Amino acid sequence: MKVNLTERVSFQSRHNSPSATEISDMLHAVGVSSLDELIDQTVPGPIRLTSPLKLAPVKNEYEYLLDLRKTAGRNKIYKSFMGQGYYGTIVPAVIKRNILENPGWYTAYTPYQAEIAQGRLEALINFQTMVIDLTGMEIANASLLDEGTAAAEAATMLHSTRKREKKEANVFVADERIFPQTLAVLKTRLTSLGIGLRVENIDETDLTDSSIYGILFQYPDNDGAVIDRSELVASAKENSIGVAVASDLLSLCLLTPPGEWGADVVVGTAQRFGVPMGFGGPHAAFFATKEDFKRAIPGRIIGVSKDTEGNVAYRMALQTREQHIKRERATSNICTSQVLLAVMSSMYAVYHGPAGLKAIANRVHGLANTTAASLKTLGLENVNTHYFDTLKIKMSDAQRQSLKKVSDQNELNFRYFEDGHVGISFDETHMPQDAQLVVDTFAEALGESSSAISIEVEIDIPGALSRSSVFLDHDVFKVFHSEHELLRYMKRLENKDLSLVHSMISLGSCTMKLNATTEMIPVTWPEFGGLHPFTPKDQTEGYRQLISELTCWLKEITGFADISFQPNSGAQGEYAGLMAIKEYHEANGDLDRNVALIPSSAHGTNPASAVMAGMKVVIVKCDDLGNIDIADLKAKAEQYSETLSSLMVTYPSTHGVFEEGIKEICQIIHDNGGQVYMDGANMNAQVGLTSPAMIGADVCHLNLHKTFCIPHGGGGPGMGPIGVAEHLVPFLPGNGTISVSSAPLSSASILPISHAYIAMMGAEGLTEATKIAILNANYIAKRLSAHYPVLYSNHNGRNAHELIIDCRDFKRFGIEVEDIAKRLMDYGYHAPTVSFPVAGTLMIEPTESESKHELDRFCDVMIAIRSEIEQIKEGTADADDNVLNNAPHTYRVVMGDHWSHRYSREQAAFPMEYLKTQKFWPSVSRIDSAFGDRNLVCSCLPVEAFAEPETV
């Protein structure tokens, strides 16, 4: 027997789930003889690529990790004292292993279906409570993308909620001592909205100026100084000026919280609460404000409600406000959240509790104190009178040059200010020996000898700045301090959530595919997780190599000239792409081009992003087949030809069809002076078969958390890099004046996931994945078409990678699409996308990672539910008391002593045989959403609230 030693099991066969036999069976079912025949019937010939993708030779999993270890080894991990909003942190191992590295947490979807997401929602309530307590505010959201984004959201919220006497005010004043990266994001965001931004010494601002509607300052500030600004806040309030404060959560364990001064908004990042620096991200920003602003707060708020049993239940409160109600009037995006990282930070606070956090803060402050004292003996002055963790040391140019040389030898990174000073920021990872090394390094640079630092240090925060109020007083922050208790608590929460570890999550437009373990492993390597985002380039050659390779591959896949990785969500990618278009038009002297044409079927993030970019939204009709109405598009493009900026188009369409007229659509826009922005949400149906550039787009964002395997993390992290044609390259973030995230490469530490996916799949594997995604969708359409109308298809009767089934007719029997979504939970499934893009429908996307066995199981469930609806129609099931309108059924309901329903317990809980051995129980019954909105509570309830409701 001969063995070919080059043969090995490919990663492609692990990712693309259907076997050759399954593929053959599905092809037969849909009526074609081969995958290529199906693709020919699905993807229009004029947009097909004429040659295969040219990517690097494919690697198997073992080879990839060996090679990536070498790449990672090119990054140098120095001790960072750079601060500026990014700090070393000790990730408790129990949190790292059981949340960050746990697919039960990172493969879950955004908790729109709250009954099967109670674990994440409880963790996010803990996060909100933590933020509320530490900032001294009344309400907080469930996280934002980063501190810069949060600050920009604060400025725009204060603008949209100006008091009557300030309705004409249009100037926002930012203190010159806020973090530079925050200022850069502020400039981009406010300029695009036509809001004036002044940067000055906030202590010298004339607050009686009627043009000012809001101010922002940092606390502690960019220099590290801690300043009592209670009088400034009071003066601003007297003049009806909104006050936003960017702050640091760890410092607020010791410092007076801004909420006690009367601040309107407090923002910042929770990164140093147990989330690695990761060369910039992902991290969970926080946004806390007053109850008065609850209807204007950006992002998502988790609220407390109740289920039909009367039990406490959590849900996303007010979550549809921006995209589904305001749409083109929106000023922020709901798709800007970092759930997985917020969960980690909340667990960090749960683990340490208030006493533990205060001890960490005292130790950090103490290290700064003892270092300042020792440097003073060397004749060096700290310019900060009061500080928390950061010293700003005066040095001459010669001293600085000497320090740089010695610090590099000792593998220490300090911050070098533009004014010639040197910054030293301490964090949780630093120990007394690190402080000693800092002092020794400065001494050597000065040619002096150093003495031992003191390890007994006085905490000398003045009374006016010293926190006296209690924080984290809820029981959840008091009882899980041993690892065993925390482990069990996290596991209890995990068990309440349905994720990809349980079953297929077939959400149309969201692409919930395999997040392979090999792809995920490098994320927690210190070479990727342990670097500060402003680390010198000569220490980050591994990152540069990885990003260079990923850039080349994505350019090949998209056909574009260049890629920017700065956007750290898909929604932010939309915004960045539109801003690049805007800058391009302005550079050409077309200052009036501000109209964005958007199809009526577009996701709500599209019009919201356009408004944020300062554009006027004009809606384009869709025809009865779900395609863009080309006649209406042409008419509106010509009507606005002098002011047309762009078209935002999703391809394949939001309705799951490759529109035949897409090239004509792009040409119409170009003929009228506009640019084509392609929403990359459906890129999973393009890779290897066509490309945005081939279709005619000028810019496209790529949801790396969809097509390229970064997990959804329960609602974040995401990443939305943009690719652009040659003429837009100068206007990419980082190349011109646009800055959309705090870190230069946003969430860099998750880029190894997409790098791994492309490297291990290769050109052939990626193309095959696209074909199988299309096959799986058409197979489901074929199986379900006899039971549910499939709304849209092309002239060959084919769908792209997703399909829409129509449930509107069931309203005649008293069944809403929401009832089907809730009943799916009883069968152990998350619902497909509900009522988007058409109300009363379900949009299904199976992805290439699901086997025929899983597709059949899902179809069997959908057919069984259709049979249950038929029983209601025929009168054999009660119209008002049936398994659908009472779903989901919890174990408490099914096992309770009292059962009054007109169907059996078995029919409620075990309608199919497999459920008797493979049951996922929803932890709460159907939640009363209206009650939660009427009675908004977004922080931890007292323990008594969880007592079982009394039965009558």
Side-chain angles (χ1 to χ4, degrees):
M1 176 181 175
K2 292 184 179 180
V3 177
N4 186 335
L5 299 181
T6 64
E7 290 182 357
R8 63 272 176 105
V9 175
S10 69
F11 175 75
Q12 174 186 337
S13 66
R14 306 296 194 192
H15 178 87
N16 295 336
S17 196
S19 66
T21 300
E22 289 179 326
I23 290 172
S24 177
D25 289 346
M26 287 192 288
L27 289 170
H28 178 73
V30 301
V32 293
S33 59
S34 68
L35 265 178
D36 287 339
E37 182 182 353
L38 174 63
I39 298 306
D40 288 343
Q41 294 178 8
T42 306
V43 185
I47 64 166
R48 291 286 300 277
L49 296 175
T50 56
S51 59
L53 295 173
K54 296 179 178 64
L55 300 173
V58 69
K59 300 174 183 178
N60 67 21
E61 294 170 78
Y62 181 71
E63 291 169 334
Y64 177 78
L65 288 179
L66 283 178
D67 287 347
L68 192 66
R69 273 290 185 193
K70 296 175 185 175
T71 302
R74 299 184 67 198
N75 292 331
K76 301 174 184 177
I77 308 176
Y78 287 11
K79 279 278 184 182
S80 174
F81 295 87
M82 300 172 72
Q84 201 172 324
Y86 299 94
Y87 306 91
T89 184
I90 299 171
V91 184
V94 65
I95 295 175
K96 176 185 173 186
R97 173 63 61 88
N98 294 287
I99 292 183
L100 180 57
E101 298 177 337
N102 182 353
W105 282 97
Y106 65 68
T107 69
Y109 182 61
T110 303
Y112 288 110
Q113 297 296 332
E115 293 85 353
I116 49 176
Q118 288 296 294
R120 261 168 301 137
L121 290 167
E122 181 172 332
L124 292 174
I125 280 280
N126 294 345
F127 176 84
Q128 291 176 178
T129 303
M130 172 188 82
V131 171
I132 289 168
D133 280 9
L134 286 169
T135 60
M137 301 303 288
E138 297 170 348
I139 189 171
N141 71 10
S143 75
L144 289 173
L145 296 175
D146 56 28
E147 185 167 331
T149 302
E153 294 283 8
T156 54
M157 187 191 79
L158 292 175
H159 187 266
S160 66
T161 57
R162 289 165 294 177
K163 294 182 178 179
R164 182 180 303 171
E165 62 269 26
K166 285 285 185 177
K167 280 303 178 185
E168 300 304 314
N170 197 45
V171 172
F172 189 75
V173 179
D175 184 51
E176 61 191 9
R177 290 154 294 185
I178 67 171
F179 290 143
Q181 68 270 21
T182 299
L183 179 58
V185 175
L186 267 178
K187 286 179 178 177
T188 299
R189 288 282 296 273
L190 297 191
T191 300
S192 66
L193 292 171
I195 297 173
L197 175 65
R198 281 191 357 220
V199 183
E200 59 194 37
N201 186 329
I202 201 76
D203 299 312
E204 299 174 2
T205 298
D206 178 7
L207 297 178
T208 65
D209 184 340
S210 61
S211 68
I212 300 173
Y213 74 86
I215 61 173
L216 168 70
F217 59 86
Q218 195 99 29
Y219 169 72
D221 68 22
N222 182 50
D223 293 339
V226 175
I227 301 171
D228 180 2
R229 291 220 165 89
S230 55
E231 292 185 6
L232 175 74
V233 174
S235 179
K237 307 310 292 180
E238 288 174 6
N239 289 281
S240 299
I241 292 173
V243 178
V245 183
S247 196
D248 174 278
L249 288 182
L250 189 63
S251 74
L252 295 181
C253 296
L254 303 184
L255 301 177
T256 300
E260 294 180 13
W261 292 340
D264 295 295
V265 189
V266 184
V267 301
T269 174
Q271 177 267 314
R272 70 190 307 174
F273 273 33
V275 179
M277 287 187 287
F279 205 39
H283 308 136
F286 63 85
F287 188 106
T289 187
K290 294 180 175 179
E291 187 84 16
D292 295 346
F293 298 110
K294 67 182 179 183
R295 299 273 167 181
I297 191 170
R300 303 167 182 161
I301 310 171
I302 308 307
V304 179
S305 190
K306 62 179 182 179
D307 70 0
T308 54
E309 300 172 62
N311 296 306
V312 169
Y314 304 111
R315 58 178 283 275
M316 286 170 57
L318 313 174
Q319 76 264 31
T320 59
R321 181 192 71 255
E322 291 294 350
Q323 271 63 65
H324 302 288
I325 296 175
K326 287 187 176 180
R327 288 181 68 83
E328 65 269 18
R329 293 184 294 109
T331 55
S332 75
N333 260 312
I334 196 171
C335 295
T336 50
S337 189
Q338 300 278 26
V339 170
L340 185 69
L341 300 316
V343 168
M344 288 179 66
S345 291
S346 76
M347 290 304 174
Y348 179 90
V350 167
Y351 193 34
H352 289 293
L357 292 177
K358 193 166 184 177
I360 293 168
N362 278 327
R363 192 162 58 249
V364 168
H365 180 56
L367 288 171
N369 270 358
T370 192
T371 302
S374 293
L375 293 181
K376 187 174 182 179
T377 66
L378 295 173
L380 295 174
E381 178 188 351
N382 173 27
V383 302
N384 294 329
T385 304
H386 303 297
Y387 52 88
F388 169 61
D389 59 12
T390 298
L391 311 177
K392 187 175 184 182
I393 306 298
K394 277 188 176 181
M395 299 191 82
S396 67
D397 288 343
Q399 290 171 332
R400 278 164 53 95
Q401 292 303 317
S402 178
L403 178 65
K404 283 183 179 180
K405 181 178 179 181
V406 179
S407 63
D408 194 49
Q409 293 169 352
N410 291 339
E411 298 189 344
L412 306 177
N413 282 333
F414 300 119
R415 182 181 176 195
Y416 296 93
F417 288 89
E418 291 183 1
D419 61 10
H421 294 23
V422 176
I424 312 167
S425 294
F426 288 91
D427 60 48
E428 182 192 10
T429 66
H430 296 138
M431 296 178 282
Q433 54 265 43
D434 297 312
Q436 185 67 62
L437 182 57
V438 168
V439 174
D440 293 345
T441 299
F442 273 80
E444 184 178 350
L446 297 175
E448 302 283 348
S449 58
S450 60
S451 57
I453 64 166
S454 172
I455 58 173
E456 295 290 337
V457 184
E458 288 288 334
I459 302 300
D460 59 353
I461 297 173
L465 289 168
S466 181
R467 180 171 195 139
S468 58
S469 53
V470 173
F471 60 93
L472 303 187
D473 198 37
H474 189 272
D475 278 5
V476 75
F477 300 106
K478 296 178 179 178
V479 298
F480 302 117
H481 299 164
S482 73
E483 180 168 329
H484 227 156
E485 287 299 319
L486 182 70
L487 176 65
R488 289 167 177 162
Y489 177 61
M490 292 189 299
K491 191 64 180 178
R492 285 199 297 274
L493 297 192
E494 180 192 341
N495 289 343
K496 294 180 180 182
D497 284 16
L498 188 141
S499 68
L500 282 174
V501 306
H502 298 99
S503 55
M504 174 173 73
I505 300 179
S506 57
L507 287 152
S509 92
C510 293
T511 316
M512 299 289 291
K513 62 166 72 176
L514 171 70
N515 312 121
T517 306
T518 298
E519 295 161 3
M520 298 300 296
I521 284 173
V523 171
T524 54
W525 289 355
E527 295 89 345
F528 292 123
L531 270 65
H532 191 286
F534 303 128
T535 298
K537 286 187 177 181
D538 62 350
Q539 298 172 26
T540 61
E541 292 181 0
Y543 254 121
R544 307 291 167 187
Q545 177 185 335
L546 180 142
I547 291 168
S548 174
E549 291 170 354
L550 187 54
T551 298
C552 289
W553 299 341
L554 292 179
K555 284 165 60 176
E556 173 68 13
I557 289 167
T558 61
F560 283 134
D562 205 359
I563 306 288
S564 169
F565 291 98
Q566 195 175 111
N568 55 10
S569 78
Q572 203 179 66
E574 293 176 11
Y575 174 72
L578 292 174
M579 287 300 294
I581 290 172
K582 183 176 183 178
E583 296 265 313
Y584 166 75
H585 285 313
E586 290 177 355
N588 291 332
D590 293 327
L591 303 182
D592 295 328
R593 290 197 174 275
N594 67 345
V595 170
L597 300 181
I598 300 179
S600 59
S601 62
H603 192 277
T605 60
N606 285 181
S609 294
V611 171
M612 288 166 59
M615 296 182 183
K616 176 184 176 183
V617 173
V618 174
I619 302 299
V620 176
K621 296 177 185 176
C622 289
D623 63 24
D624 292 339
L625 298 177
N627 300 317
I628 292 175
D629 185 325
I630 295 180
D632 187 55
L633 174 77
K634 189 171 190 295
K636 285 174 177 167
E638 291 174 352
Q639 177 185 351
Y640 294 101
S641 61
E642 297 300 315
T643 56
L644 179 61
S645 167
S646 52
L647 167 73
M648 298 186 77
V649 60
T650 301
Y651 201 76
S653 75
T654 311
H655 296 93
V657 177
F658 283 95
E659 295 185 48
E660 301 280 346
I662 187 63
K663 280 202 164 185
E664 180 186 357
I665 287 169
C666 293
Q667 191 60 52
I668 288 170
I669 300 302
H670 290 145
D671 288 346
N672 287 278
Q675 297 283 287
V676 176
Y677 170 89
M678 180 173 288
D679 184 318
N682 292 342
M683 192 70 193
N684 208 48
Q686 287 193 41
V687 179
L689 301 181
T690 184
S691 72
M694 168 69 76
I695 290 162
D698 300 287
V699 56
C700 177
H701 87 264
L702 304 172
N703 293 101
L704 298 189
H705 54 290
K706 294 183 181 181
T707 304
F708 297 98
C709 289
I710 289 174
H712 282 66
M719 200 160 174
I722 56 172
V724 296
E726 186 71 44
H727 62 282
L728 292 178
V729 171
F731 309 101
L732 281 172
N735 289 355
T737 62
I738 300 171
S739 183
V740 296
S741 68
S742 292
L745 294 165
S746 68
S747 298
S749 69
I750 54 177
L751 290 177
I753 300 170
S754 298
H755 184 273
Y757 173 63
I758 296 173
M760 294 189 297
M761 289 289 280
E764 181 182 336
L766 290 173
T767 305
E768 188 78 358
T770 308
K771 293 178 179 179
I772 293 175
I774 292 171
L775 171 62
N776 284 357
N778 280 276
Y779 177 69
I780 287 181
K782 183 67 175 180
R783 281 215 58 193
L784 294 186
S785 60
H787 308 276
Y788 299 87
V790 177
L791 266 190
Y792 304 106
S793 60
N794 70 4
H795 66 279
N796 291 319
R798 299 302 181 196
N799 297 99
H801 64 311
E802 61 190 8
L803 62 142
I804 297 172
I805 61 172
D806 194 351
C807 305
R808 290 172 292 186
D809 190 53
F810 305 145
K811 288 171 70 82
R812 295 190 295 124
F813 323 127
I815 297 301
E816 302 284 349
V817 68
E818 182 185 20
D819 296 318
I820 298 173
K822 302 308 180 187
R823 181 57 173 160
L824 276 164
M825 298 176 190
D826 286 331
Y827 287 87
Y829 278 99
H830 192 292
T833 303
V834 177
S835 289
F836 175 78
V838 180
T841 66
L842 293 172
M843 182 161 60
I844 303 168
E845 180 181 354
T847 84
E848 69 277 7
S849 295
E850 300 299 342
S851 66
K852 180 177 180 293
H853 169 78
E854 182 67 2
L855 301 182
D856 282 331
R857 189 164 72 104
F858 173 77
C859 288
D860 290 344
V861 167
M862 291 299 299
I863 293 167
I865 291 174
R866 180 64 184 86
S867 177
E868 293 171 345
I869 297 171
E870 192 67 18
Q871 291 170 21
I872 298 169
K873 173 186 175 182
E874 294 174 351
T876 56
D878 192 276
D880 299 315
D881 183 25
N882 56 68
V883 290
L884 280 109
N885 59 28
N886 290 327
H889 298 81
T890 67
Y891 68 90
R892 290 186 301 273
V893 168
V894 174
M895 302 299 291
D897 293 337
H898 180 67
W899 183 266
S900 60
H901 297 302
R902 298 183 179 182
Y903 51 91
S904 70
R905 298 173 194 258
E906 182 170 14
Q907 188 180 357
F910 305 110
M912 299 184 82
E913 191 64 28
Y914 77 87
L915 292 166
K916 294 178 180 178
T917 57
Q918 194 177 328
K919 178 70 177 178
F920 177 89
W921 288 100
S923 55
V924 296
S925 297
R926 194 174 302 198
I927 295 172
D928 186 338
S929 296
F931 175 87
D933 279 350
R934 289 193 308 268
N935 305 276
L936 181 62
V937 177
C938 67
S939 59
C940 294
L941 291 174
V943 175
E944 292 76 22
F946 294 87
E948 289 288 335
E950 293 184 12
T951 56
V952 178

